[in-house]
Amino acid sequence: MRIDKYLWCTRYYKTRSIATDAVKKGHITVNGQQAKPSRDVFAGDKITIRKDQINYVLLVLDVPQNRVGPKLVDLYRKDETPAEAFEHLELLRLSKEHYRAKGQGRPTKKDRRDIDGYVTDDEDETE
């Protein structure tokens, strides 16, 4: 089975064309080698997918005949992604939210004064 079709069948991508684009962009490697969309996948292959700032590592257990339901995906692949990758993503998400909450827009004058006061207070303490 083609790599793009396999990734679509195992529900890593919503459409096959999105999976094909990801392979063309170099986000997918099979057994450590860059893959083309037409590359065949066999049981025992190790696939690395770069998606949403996480490197997913998959071991192909079997090749499905067609797209499978979400409950059956684990029959066809084994996810060997390290837990640190997900922790790193959570840390990135928290660091982005720490500065300014999403949807609040630009800082107001009062926010700007608070930010400037915070920065100048820290500089005074270091001197």
Side-chain angles (χ1 to χ4, degrees):
M1 176 181 279
R2 294 170 50 114
I3 182 73
D4 58 348
K5 189 173 180 181
Y6 178 80
L7 293 172
W8 170 72
C9 286
T10 55
R11 298 185 170 270
Y12 274 93
Y13 291 98
K14 189 173 183 176
T15 65
R16 190 167 165 193
S17 62
I18 295 172
T20 303
D21 290 341
V23 176
K24 285 181 182 177
K25 289 179 183 176
H27 296 229
I28 313 295
T29 59
V30 178
N31 296 327
Q33 296 179 343
Q34 205 70 3
K36 292 183 179 179
S38 61
R39 165 84 190 255
D40 285 333
V41 177
F42 303 102
D45 283 346
K46 195 171 194 176
I47 301 173
T48 306
I49 303 170
R50 176 78 175 162
K51 184 178 176 189
D52 299 328
Q53 297 183 346
I54 295 180
N55 288 327
Y56 293 95
V57 181
L58 310 174
L59 181 65
V60 179
L61 300 177
D62 196 10
V63 180
Q65 294 297 320
N66 49 16
R67 191 166 167 99
V68 296
K71 293 181 181 178
L72 301 176
V73 169
D74 289 334
L75 298 174
Y76 299 101
R77 60 103 174 128
K78 181 179 179 189
D79 193 358
E80 298 178 344
T81 307
E84 298 89 39
F86 296 107
E87 292 170 4
H88 183 262
L89 182 67
E90 183 67 20
L91 186 64
L92 282 174
R93 188 184 63 78
L94 290 174
S95 67
K96 288 179 183 177
E97 288 179 358
H98 176 71
Y99 174 67
R100 186 127 184 105
K102 187 175 181 178
Q104 286 188 342
R106 295 176 57 183
T108 62
K109 283 185 178 181
K110 183 181 182 317
D111 293 337
R112 188 71 208 162
R113 286 186 209 112
D114 291 341
I115 292 169
D116 289 340
Y118 178 74
V119 172
T120 56
D121 289 345
D122 287 344
E123 291 173 359
D124 292 339
E125 291 175 6
T126 57
E127 292 177 356

